[in-house]
Amino acid sequence: MRFLGVGETCDLGALYLSLIAEGHEVRVAVSEPLARGTLAGLCPKVEDWRAELDWVRAAGDDGVILFEAVSEGLGALQDELRAQGFNVIGGSAYGDRLENDRGYAHAVLEELGFPKGQSWTFKAADEALRFVEQNPARYVLKLSGADHASGHNYIGQLADGTDVAAMLRVRATDLGKADELVLMRFFDGVEMGVGAYFNGERFIGPACLDWEHKRFFAGELGELTGEMGTVVTYARTDGFFERTLARMEGRLRGHGHVGYVNLNTIVNEEGIWPLEFTCRFGYPGFAVLAPLQGWGWGELFAAMVQRAPVTMPTVPGFCVGVVLTIPPFPYSRKQVDEPVGLPITIEGGLDPRRHHLGEAGLDGAGELVTSGLYGWTMVATGVGAGIAEAKAEAYAAADRVHTPNLRYRLDIGDRLIGGDFARVERLGLLD
């Protein structure tokens, strides 16, 4: 098959390398100048992805365009390319709106039968401030719009909401740049996501369950990052999927979405509380899922293009993924001047099953070095029948990686092992 990757920062590097290893043809376009070194010497690059459309079309049904990100207009562009007859996997205009317009997403969820009155949308910070002052409680403040990363959100810590109110007063000007401000009721429980690949007509089973670790430091301290590590499984997931993400099948079909879809939730003794959608490939989610998927990426994408009702074979148990970073993560090199081209040394050599390259490439001498905009160096994964076993294997893989100033969390999976997973089981949410 032929795959054309389209992205800003080449987030799917390990996926592209897997496709090449499987024998497929791959070309990748990277629009961000500071990310041009990612996958250098490892994967063919092109300057203008549009100039490669004839190359994709010449492959017929075996030609696929992979879109990485959710950015302004990219979903609509993918819909347009599908209308022109291209196989496009990634997202859609509808998926962009679900992910970026939080108020709209919660309205959709309410229409599908999820609890109402758990979030409130405002056009200005002063409106949100008045609401908090009149309705004191613990809230989560989130911003709508494609340009707002998770690090812009604030999870309130005080029961009367005074810390959220302070944020709204002090940061009113910056917050006012968002399309909308969303206040969500804070739920005390276990954060758990459910995701599956949607082929344009139906979900490919089984769904996965995931438990993300988003804070920069161990113990859930520090900045909210995209993700520092994750625990995933494809086992015992059908019931939770049917109660949650499966309800979206008709909506996604009606809007022609093709790609991975995830719904993040909080679960507790009161119920299941949906938080937000991810309607694209997740990083590092795709890399953490790969060791549990019985198909290679090419076989999975072929099944999505064919749109046949299929079930993907999966590996039982759990996978734990640990994100290995260097400075300036969790910021970018546009904000903090940090070098690239640092050596990456892996004891025993790179194991593609356990080391999923992120922002890395080869230098002129053929040595593996750091690259890119953020400092996402790679993801180390481990698989096991239990979470503890998978964690031990993941950290064994991480311990083999050496590069200057490398850092990563040491507690991925600990809260699940310490009681959160048992709580999910007691809630009756697993098959």
Side-chain angles (χ1 to χ4, degrees):
M1 298 179 71
R2 287 182 177 175
F3 293 93
L4 176 62
V6 181
E8 297 171 337
T9 54
C10 199
D11 293 340
L12 302 181
L15 188 155
Y16 299 137
L17 294 178
S18 293
L19 288 171
I20 292 172
E22 292 169 19
H24 303 289
E25 297 179 82
V26 179
R27 297 178 182 178
V28 178
V30 181
S31 63
E32 170 55 55
L34 292 178
R36 297 286 169 81
T38 300
L39 291 193
L42 297 170
C43 178
K45 300 283 195 62
V46 297
E47 289 294 323
D48 180 6
W49 64 267
R50 291 174 178 82
E52 307 300 319
L53 291 179
D54 287 343
W55 176 76
V56 175
R57 193 185 292 277
D61 289 341
D62 286 337
V64 178
I65 306 173
L66 301 173
F67 275 82
E68 296 183 355
V70 173
S71 297
E72 190 69 33
L74 278 186
L77 175 60
Q78 292 176 70
D79 292 340
E80 179 182 336
L81 289 168
R82 290 187 185 105
Q84 296 174 18
F86 289 100
N87 295 317
V88 182
I89 297 174
S92 64
Y94 182 65
D96 286 5
R97 189 176 185 191
L98 285 174
E99 183 162 348
N100 295 327
D101 188 341
R102 298 178 186 276
Y104 173 75
H106 278 266
V108 169
L109 289 165
E110 290 177 3
E111 290 173 5
L112 293 172
F114 287 96
K116 297 182 179 181
Q118 310 305 320
S119 68
W120 301 266
T121 302
F122 305 92
K123 292 294 185 182
D126 58 346
E127 296 176 9
L129 175 59
R130 284 195 296 272
F131 178 87
V132 174
E133 291 174 339
Q134 294 168 8
N135 302 274
R138 189 176 178 184
Y139 295 102
V140 177
L141 172 62
K142 297 191 174 185
L143 309 183
S144 284
D147 296 330
H148 298 288
S150 59
H152 297 154
N153 301 330
Y154 178 69
I155 300 175
Q157 301 298 308
L158 301 179
D160 61 359
T162 52
D163 56 336
V164 173
M167 279 284 291
L168 291 166
R169 283 194 299 270
V170 175
R171 299 293 305 280
T173 300
D174 290 340
L175 295 174
K177 297 176 183 177
D179 295 343
E180 292 179 332
L181 291 83
V182 178
L183 289 174
M184 299 175 60
R185 173 187 167 192
F186 176 84
F187 294 98
D188 184 19
V190 179
E191 187 170 352
M192 183 167 80
V194 54
Y197 299 98
F198 192 78
N199 69 4
E201 295 183 0
R202 58 183 61 84
F203 284 105
I204 293 176
C208 71
L209 298 178
D210 66 76
W211 294 267
E212 299 178 353
H213 300 61
K214 297 180 179 179
R215 294 285 184 180
F216 190 29
F217 297 112
E220 299 305 322
L221 298 174
E223 298 94 327
L224 279 168
T225 70
E227 209 170 323
M228 292 303 297
T230 304
V231 178
V232 299
T233 186
Y234 278 107
R236 306 171 65 189
T237 65
D238 290 347
F240 192 80
F241 169 70
E242 291 299 330
R243 295 174 63 179
T244 54
L245 189 58
R247 301 185 193 181
M248 287 294 299
E249 186 165 277
R251 304 290 181 106
L252 294 166
R253 181 187 306 116
H255 289 87
H257 184 89
V258 182
Y260 182 75
V261 183
N262 183 280
L263 176 62
N264 199 29
T265 73
I266 294 287
V267 299
N268 59 22
E269 286 69 20
E270 298 179 61
I272 301 170
W273 309 96
L275 300 179
E276 58 196 2
F277 286 100
T278 298
C279 299
R280 53 180 166 79
F281 292 104
Y283 180 89
F286 81 92
V288 188
L289 287 174
L292 296 180
Q293 294 172 175
W295 288 337
W297 287 110
E299 194 169 5
L300 171 59
F301 293 149
M304 294 179 70
V305 167
Q306 293 163 6
R307 295 194 171 188
V310 293
T311 298
M312 177 176 61
T314 58
V315 176
F318 297 85
C319 183
V320 170
V322 182
V323 179
L324 313 186
T325 74
I326 61 170
F329 186 87
Y331 304 100
S332 79
R333 289 190 170 88
K334 294 181 179 180
Q335 300 165 294
V336 181
D337 185 19
E338 287 284 344
V340 294
L342 303 177
I344 302 172
T345 305
I346 305 175
E347 296 179 57
L350 185 145
D351 180 352
R353 301 171 304 162
R354 298 292 175 259
H355 302 114
H356 310 264
L357 291 182
E359 292 185 317
L362 300 182
D363 65 8
E367 297 291 334
L368 189 64
V369 296
T370 64
S371 67
L373 181 62
Y374 296 105
W376 283 328
T377 303
M378 72 175 70
V379 182
T381 60
V383 174
I387 299 172
E389 181 183 345
K391 176 190 172 183
E393 189 172 283
Y395 280 105
D399 287 345
R400 292 167 48 198
V401 180
H402 304 278
T403 197
N405 301 320
L406 188 70
R407 61 274 219 279
Y408 47 91
R409 282 180 55 166
L410 298 176
D411 65 338
I412 304 303
D414 282 359
R415 290 184 62 177
L416 284 170
I417 296 169
D420 277 2
F421 189 78
R423 184 179 180 184
V424 172
E425 288 189 304
R426 288 195 303 271
L427 293 172
L429 299 178
L430 304 177
D431 297 348

